[in-house]
Amino acid sequence: MSREMIDLCEFVIKTARDAGADDCRAAFSKQRFVQVAYRERKPENVKEATTQDIRIELFANSRYLAQNASDIRKDALKTFVLNGIESAKLLEEDPYRSLPDPKYYGGRKDIDLQIQDPEYGKTTPELRHAMAKELEETCLGAGGDKAISVTAQVYDSFSEKTVLTSNGFSGETQSTAYYAFAEMTAQDEGDRRPNGYHYAVDRKLSSLPPCSRIGKEAADRTLDLMGSKKLPTETLPVIIENRNVARILNGVVSAMNGWALQQKRSFLIDRKGEKIGSDVFTLVDDPHIPGALGSRLYDGDGFATKKRTMIDKGALKEYYIGWYRSRKMGVEPTTGGVSNLVLPPGKRSVGDIMKDLGRGILINGFIGGNSNSNTGDFSIGITGTLFEKGEPVQAVAEMNIADNHLQFWNKLSEAANDPWTYSGWRMPSLVFTDVVVSGV
């Protein structure tokens, strides 16, 4: 751990305890990031910044206050903490607010999650500009005379965080992230201007795909939207592309959260052990995947993380319940939030699946929409491609799917073999049968 970060956290905790706080959590964070964006073959935006702050959580006489300070001089921090304790006295009591029982801190794995790139310091300004240029040039080249504009962006960051509590927790993380993105707007019929994008993000620069591939994919995805039309309403199979699955799956995962359960705002209340989806619907929360974006050794409460099967062959097995909500609900805590969420991939490619489905829609984007956590009802706009016997027929847009999550996930019939690794939600493309797609 950084000695400076430890010292400041210890100083904050001692100051709070000496001033009458029962307990205190201090989390000191630092981040350096660089961002380079190109447009019209020249730099549009170049940013570089280093930020740092300390988050202080105070527990005093059944009252709780959390606040952040960017001035980390000790005299300023002392005043900040003392003022915080005075402010906490004005709050209503909440007997459920406390630091976790220290027994949940134990059992932390001693493993290298590989979330920090040892080569991070070797990334040069010249390399960042070269990557952004390549993204833009490749996208423009693939877009041809249909391309109106392209925006290309690369980003990298180094983050470190130290957390200490007055009841014995200590933890440190250091991580890096690299991001490459290209977006294209194209000229379609009349005044239509379809817009498509592609990106990749990883812990290590060497693991990113070539910028030429990202740029070309952004152009291809935009051109795939050309001539999009609304079709008549039809019941047919749909394939939700891997990188878009999280958008619709979030309606289920948010209903598994302790806040929604405790507030009686979840359609999954009292459904633990029940089937809520098909046998294909398995979700595993795995915090220890090497190099993954959601990997962690401890969660926001300081609990040692472990692999959990949240949904097993359609049966709901676990909820996401952190310390505070567990106390209010009178149940055992699990963990307060998602790490790496994995739906096991299947064995076939999307292309092979399409050949067997006959007529269907490959959904490659969602627009707007809403999901009701009380009932499970959802409605969302889609873009995509109508296909027949594996061959694309027509780009579709301005259409909608509406269903209830408790019915919709029972329509899940197959997972493809293409997990999306550029997210903590590592989802493959998913096939759903008998979906009503609303149009004309």
Side-chain angles (χ1 to χ4, degrees), residues 42-68:
K42 59 185 179 182
E44 181 185 47
N45 197 357
V46 178
K47 293 182 180 179
E48 179 175 359
T50 299
T51 61
Q52 60 182 18
D53 70 1
I54 188 165
R55 178 172 176 81
I56 302 168
E57 296 176 67
L58 300 169
F59 303 83
N61 299 320
S62 297
R63 294 169 173 84
Y64 170 78
L65 181 72
Q67 52 189 3
N68 288 56

Side-chain angles (χ1 to χ4, degrees), residues 174-338:
Q174 293 184 334
S175 63
T176 52
Y178 297 85
Y179 176 80
F181 170 89
E183 179 181 35
M184 186 178 99
T185 301
Q187 177 65 60
D188 202 353
E189 301 171 359
D191 60 355
R192 283 177 47 81
R193 303 287 189 274
N195 177 271
Y197 67 92
H198 191 55
Y199 70 93
V201 58
D202 208 289
R203 294 294 188 184
K204 295 182 179 181
L205 179 60
S206 61
S207 298
L208 284 181
C211 288
S212 57
R213 188 189 308 170
I214 298 171
K216 184 178 185 305
E217 179 70 14
D220 290 346
R221 294 179 70 88
T222 306
L223 296 177
D224 284 344
L225 300 174
M226 302 287 281
S228 297
K229 294 181 180 179
K230 183 187 293 188
L231 303 176
T233 297
E234 187 173 355
T235 300
L236 73 182
V238 302
I239 304 174
I240 300 179
E241 186 185 30
N242 52 12
R243 72 177 189 174
N244 293 296
V245 170
R247 177 77 179 277
I248 203 161
L249 178 61
N250 185 61
V252 176
V253 176
S254 62
M256 297 166 65
N257 185 272
W259 178 87
L261 296 164
Q262 186 263 319
Q263 293 290 321
K264 308 297 183 183
R265 299 180 64 178
S266 169
F267 63 89
L268 295 178
I269 291 174
D270 297 327
R271 290 188 177 273
K272 190 172 180 180
E274 294 184 13
K275 287 274 283 188
I276 62 169
S278 75
D279 287 350
V280 180
F281 192 27
T282 291
L283 288 180
V284 178
D285 191 294
D286 188 351
H288 303 142
I289 300 174
L293 296 173
S295 293
R296 59 190 185 180
L297 296 176
Y298 55 88
D299 67 10
D301 285 316
F303 293 2
T305 54
K306 64 179 182 179
K307 186 175 181 180
R308 300 174 183 272
T309 299
M310 308 303 294
I311 298 174
D312 185 21
K313 295 182 179 179
L316 179 62
K317 295 296 186 181
E318 293 269 19
Y319 294 119
Y320 287 101
I321 303 177
W323 174 250
Y324 176 60
R325 297 295 168 182
S326 75
R327 298 194 72 203
K328 297 197 80 169
M329 296 167 67
V331 299
E332 186 72 9
T334 55
T335 185
V338 176

Side-chain angles (χ1 to χ4, degrees), residues 83-119:
N83 288 341
I85 291 176
E86 290 302 310
S87 297
K89 293 178 181 178
L90 304 176
L91 302 176
E92 289 193 20
E93 290 188 23
D94 185 346
Y96 302 105
R97 284 289 187 186
S98 72
L99 289 176
D101 186 323
K103 72 180 182 182
Y104 294 105
Y105 300 155
R108 192 188 312 176
K109 286 188 175 293
D110 184 16
I111 56 175
D112 180 8
L113 293 177
Q114 301 174 36
I115 58 175
Q116 180 184 350
D117 189 347
E119 302 294 313

Side-chain angles (χ1 to χ4, degrees), residues 424-436:
W425 293 37
R426 302 164 75 93
M427 301 291 115
S429 298
L430 299 180
V431 184
F432 296 83
T433 58
D434 302 320
V435 176
V436 177

Side-chain angles (χ1 to χ4, degrees), residues 6 11 22 52 58 82 97 116 122 127 150 172 182 191 266 270 280 284 290 334 341 351 398 411 423 426:
I6 294 172
F11 173 79
D22 299 315
Q52 60 182 18
L58 300 169
L82 296 178
R97 284 289 187 186
Q116 180 184 350
K122 298 179 181 179
L127 176 59
V150 170
E172 179 191 36
D191 60 355
S266 169
D270 297 327
V280 180
V284 178
T334 55
L341 195 60
E398 300 179 39
K411 299 174 183 178
S423 168
R426 302 164 75 93

Side-chain angles (χ1 to χ4, degrees), residues 345-394:
K347 297 180 179 179
R348 298 201 297 164
S349 70
V350 169
D352 288 340
I353 293 171
M354 289 169 61
K355 292 175 183 177
D356 287 346
L357 287 179
R359 180 178 172 87
I361 292 179
L362 173 62
I363 296 174
N364 57 26
F366 289 121
I367 301 173
N370 60 77
S371 181
N372 188 319
S373 63
N374 291 304
T375 65
D377 293 334
F378 70 90
S379 177
I380 191 167
I382 68 166
T383 62
T385 302
L386 176 71
F387 62 86
E388 292 188 13
K389 297 179 180 178
E391 297 298 324
V393 174
Q394 172 69 56

Side-chain angles (χ1 to χ4, degrees), residues 400-421:
N400 184 79
I401 59 174
D403 211 324
N404 182 280
H405 284 293
L406 291 174
Q407 280 77 55
F408 184 72
W409 291 94
N410 274 289
K411 299 174 183 178
L412 176 61
S413 63
E414 186 172 357
N417 62 356
D418 59 347
W420 181 252
T421 59

Side-chain angles (χ1 to χ4, degrees), residues 115-135:
I115 58 175
Q116 180 184 350
D117 189 347
E119 302 294 313
Y120 177 77
K122 298 179 181 179
T123 307
T124 65
E126 292 79 12
L127 176 59
R128 296 183 181 100
H129 281 266
M131 290 173 65
K133 287 179 182 178
E134 185 176 17
L135 284 165

